[in-house]
Amino acid sequence: MIRMVTPALAFVAVAVSSIACAKPAGYADTIQERDLLSGKEKIEPESGYVYIRSPIPQGGVLLLLPDEAAIARYEAEWAAALAVVQQKYPAKLEDWEFRTRLAHGKGQKLPEKPIEPTPENFSIGPIEERNPVFYGLHISASTESPQSYSYLLRVEPGRYAYYGPISKGRDGLSGTCYCMGTVSFEVKAGRITDTGKFFPGGMLAFGLPVSLQSYPNEQADFRAHGKLDNFFGLAIGRMPRVAGILAYDRDKVIDLKAQAEAAAAATPDAGAVETTPVAATGTEG
Amino acid sequence: MRNFHLSVAIAAICLTILPSVGFAQAIKPPPPMRAFSAEEVAAVAMPDTAFAATPDDIKTYDKYFYFHRDGTDFDTAFNDLSECDALASGLSYYARQDPLMANYYVTQYGLAGALGAVIASPIDDAILGSTERRKIRRLNMRNCMGYKGYDRYGLERERWQAFHFEEGFNRVDDDKRTAYLMKQARVASGPKPTAEVLIR
């Protein structure tokens, strides 16, 4: 049973939503309550939706984790790009040799030799970095409920990891990446995934406002997620421990739900059993 | 949608021009733990961490510090320091897709376009500044090594400089970096310091 904590609707108002090209790059589509009520916006069956609530305005980043199809596309892109640079290399080398001879003759500083592209050194950047979904601070919250700010994000369905309280401003990014331990959750198409007040501190307090309750919805099933690279070069941190979900053994991320499930499967009739730590999915910690 | 079309197009190109490249190499596992021989460890001279702290030294412990953890061997310490160093520097450690190399190929081989959106990572150093980046790096090393259970100890500046490096805009050479990290690992896995443990 979901306890309705939010008395009044407080979807964020996209301050610049009525202005053309209003949404900064990388930010999620953020739906306003009034647009949903008026029918201007709809809960579309092919899109996923994330509901986030907070006592204060917050900024954050969700990372769409790659599924098999995304990995296949990425690998194909990597291979194609590698083929392109490998094809260019002989000409680049020839050009470097010519410029080196020229520099020798003129007594100038020698040019830097081009790096030969190989599968080992070639990179197109981490796949996890490709789909960050920013939300938050650039939008002003509804004044209907000043004690509660909420965000309804329209996103691509899939599995998301919470990357941390990070804001994207004119001066670049600021905040902390939860690179050393966080959670992930599934966002299904055509449904609103209620994350409640979970971000950024891990408080389990679900509850959709009345206007959203008639839509297909479910509470987020948070699972511990392993380490992630510090793509943006920010301060590094991790989500605080969350009872029943996320724990740490030093820097090793422990998936408490998987641990409980494994214990239950091993001894279905036991009330209390000893459990062994289960590392979180994602990168081994 | 545009990205999807782009990816499909690239996939199609790939199948025609590069059937021999193994796709699985695009995503590599995290680096394996590096193992050192007893001779390699012995060849790393133990840095000098013994000094009589002055009030001025103590004021700079937020900058000049080293790590130690009881019961930790050299290999573990080196790999822990390397992981934290990569994270602190914003390098790809777990996914093994080096953003510096990605940028190199974009700029030197003209790969912009297909990869441009990916490579445009928003590290705004022009605004952040080299000093601030060094500060974040120090903080990140503290956090990361703290999570791993290492204690932190203060050090006098000159002794610190003998086995540490700072990094702002310019990346420290890989060989020098490894040599520094090996010296730090020697201390981190060595005898327990008698100095006061600082807050992490």
Side-chain angles (χ1 to χ4, degrees), chain B residues 7-82:
Chain B
S7 299
V8 170
I10 289 172
I13 293 167
C14 170
L15 291 173
T16 55
I17 65 174
L18 194 68
S20 62
V21 172
F23 290 169
Q25 295 173 92
I27 299 175
K28 303 172 179 69
M33 185 161 158
R34 186 165 168 184
F36 295 87
S37 66
E39 291 74 25
E40 285 177 304
V41 177
V44 181
M46 178 66 82
D48 176 19
T49 55
F51 72 108
T54 67
D56 283 345
D57 291 332
I58 294 168
K59 283 179 191 170
T60 58
Y61 281 172
D62 60 330
K63 278 187 178 179
Y64 308 119
F65 52 82
Y66 63 95
F67 300 104
H68 177 272
R69 191 175 71 186
D70 278 341
T72 302
D73 59 60
F74 180 88
D75 291 2
T76 302
F78 178 82
N79 285 284
D80 283 341
L81 285 159
S82 297

Side-chain angles (χ1 to χ4, degrees), chain A residues 71 73-83 85 88-89 92 114-117 119-130 171-173 179-180 227-238 250-251 283, chain B residues 4 7 10-11 14 17-18 21-28 30 69 83 87 90-95 97-98 101-102 104-105 108-111 114-115 118-119 121-124 127 133 136 140 143-144 147-149:
Chain A
I71 291 171
R73 288 196 300 273
Y74 174 83
E75 289 176 336
E77 186 178 334
W78 176 87
L82 175 59
V85 296
K88 287 183 174 183
Y89 179 68
K92 283 194 78 70
I115 296 173
E116 181 175 2
E120 287 69 37
N121 70 26
F122 181 69
S123 172
I124 58 174
I127 188 170
E128 292 88 349
E129 185 190 9
R130 302 196 143 207
D171 296 344
L173 294 176
C179 297
M180 298 198 72
K227 297 174 185 175
L228 292 160
D229 281 314
N230 185 11
F231 312 121
F232 304 139
L234 298 168
I236 56 174
R238 67 185 186 187
R250 284 188 173 161
D251 64 320
T283 304
Chain B
F4 175 74
S7 299
I10 289 172
C14 170
I17 65 174
L18 194 68
V21 172
F23 290 169
Q25 295 173 92
I27 299 175
K28 303 172 179 69
R69 191 175 71 186
E83 179 185 344
L87 273 181
L91 298 177
S92 176
Y93 181 82
Y94 308 119
Q97 279 284 323
D98 189 344
M101 288 309 293
Y104 173 82
Y105 283 111
Q108 297 298 317
Y109 283 78
L111 269 187
L115 309 178
V118 179
I119 303 307
S121 289
I123 302 173
D124 205 335
I127 290 165
R133 186 139 298 286
I136 289 176
N140 282 347
N143 284 345
C144 183
Y147 292 146
K148 287 175 177 290

